[in-house]
Amino acid sequence: AQSVTQLDSHVSVSEGTPVLLRCNYSSSYSPSLFWYVQHPNKGLQLLLKYTSAATLVKGINGFEAEFKKSETSFHLTKPSAHMSDAAEYFCVVSDPGRDDKIIFGKGTRLHILP
Amino acid sequence: DTEVTQTPKHLVMGMTNKKSLKCEQHMGHRAMYWYKQKAKKPPELMFVYSYEKLSINESVPSRFSPECPNSSLLNLHLHALQPEDSALYLCASSQEGFANTGELFFGEGSRLTVL
């Protein structure tokens, strides 16, 4: 069965500095991995996805993530934070072609300091 | 702009009321989902419809009743709810019939308050 762990419940960075949101996963097979963002009182929006192609995945709004199988990690990064990045971020894992469900991490709240 | 539309955005209801949440998508997606999200928590799966048939019910109480009239519409009928059912209800869709794709398209949610 798969699982996903977001290592930080809150992350605070200053505007213009790099962002790192950490995600580790557990999967018996080759998983698909996703990052979603949720702004306050809004639905979730897909930032990026990994589906066994390139290990470095580029997403919207300058975000990217690297799939590292040896470390079972899929950390989300951005070179320079913007105030509009303040939101909740969810790491998600699924095993395509199997009956396992889509598993959400518990979320990381990103705070941007002016 | 989201391509999954949910109505109403806000709903306040008493414990004896009957109401419905509605969701619509016109992307030709074959699976539609209801999630419940409490504050500061990830979404919790409630129901999945795949090719208009209920494929997953996550042991949701019968006071929640889903309906999929056609491939573009998904309803959630609410009756005799409890205050603890107050939450953000999110509708989502995915291109393929449900397997376990994580690529979901979410609506903005319906904020439900049960008094």
Side-chain angles (χ1 to χ4, degrees):
Chain A
Q2 22 12 349
S3 66
V4 60
T5 302
Q6 291 184 242
L7 297 165
D8 306 290
S9 58
H10 292 266
V11 170
S12 294
V13 302
S14 297
E15 190 175 20
T17 65
V19 174
L20 170 64
L21 305 183
R22 298 182 295 166
C23 173
N24 285 106
Y25 71 92
S26 171
S27 175
S28 302
Y29 297 87
S30 297
S32 291
L33 292 157
F34 306 79
W35 276 99
Y36 285 84
V37 61
Q38 185 176 30
H39 289 92
N41 297 311
K42 297 290 186 182
L44 282 74
Q45 181 184 19
L46 181 67
L47 274 179
L48 49 80
K49 62 180 179 180
Y50 166 77
T51 54
S52 75
T55 56
L56 182 62
V57 181
K58 293 188 184 300
I60 62 172
N61 301 334
F63 285 94
E64 62 180 39
E66 186 172 7
F67 174 72
K68 291 187 177 180
K69 187 174 181 179
S70 60
E71 299 176 11
T72 61
S73 70
F74 189 59
H75 301 335
L76 182 69
T77 61
K78 183 174 181 177
S80 176
H82 190 273
M83 293 300 291
S84 61
D85 295 327
E88 189 84 20
Y89 292 78
F90 294 99
C91 184
V92 173
V93 64
S94 71
D95 279 330
R98 295 188 51 78
D99 292 334
D100 290 336
K101 302 183 185 68
I102 301 163
I103 304 296
F104 282 78
K106 293 187 176 182
T108 299
R109 171 71 63 173
L110 177 62
H111 303 271
I112 310 297
L113 307 172
Chain B
D1 288 343
T2 179
E3 296 185 71
V4 177
T5 304
Q6 291 188 242
T7 56
K9 292 191 186 305
H10 300 274
L11 178 63
V12 179
M13 60 186 291
M15 289 190 286
T16 59
N17 291 158
K18 286 186 180 181
K19 297 286 185 183
S20 297
L21 305 181
K22 298 184 184 300
C23 176
E24 189 169 3
Q25 59 89 12
H26 293 290
M27 295 178 282
H29 287 180
R30 308 309 300 187
M32 295 185 76
Y33 308 71
W34 280 115
Y35 281 87
K36 174 182 177 181
Q37 187 179 29
K38 302 285 272 186
K40 303 184 190 303
K41 299 289 187 182
E44 298 174 23
L45 184 65
M46 300 175 71
F47 302 103
V48 182
Y49 274 82
S50 181
Y51 294 94
E52 301 169 44
K53 295 190 186 305
L54 183 64
S55 59
I56 291 182
N57 176 343
E58 288 290 295
S59 302
V60 178
S62 60
R63 58 185 183 269
F64 295 91
S65 175
E67 178 195 19
C68 188
N70 59 56
S71 60
S72 299
L73 294 174
L74 185 66
N75 298 322
L76 186 63
H77 302 298
L78 314 171
H79 175 53
L81 296 192
Q82 304 297 310
E84 59 265 30
D85 296 322
S86 299
L88 182 68
Y89 288 84
L90 293 164
C91 175
S93 67
S94 62
Q95 187 171 13
E96 303 299 327
F98 177 76
N100 39 37
T101 173
E103 187 167 7
L104 301 172
F105 293 76
F106 283 88
E108 296 211 337
S110 293
R111 174 75 60 190
L112 173 66
T113 303
V114 181
L115 301 177

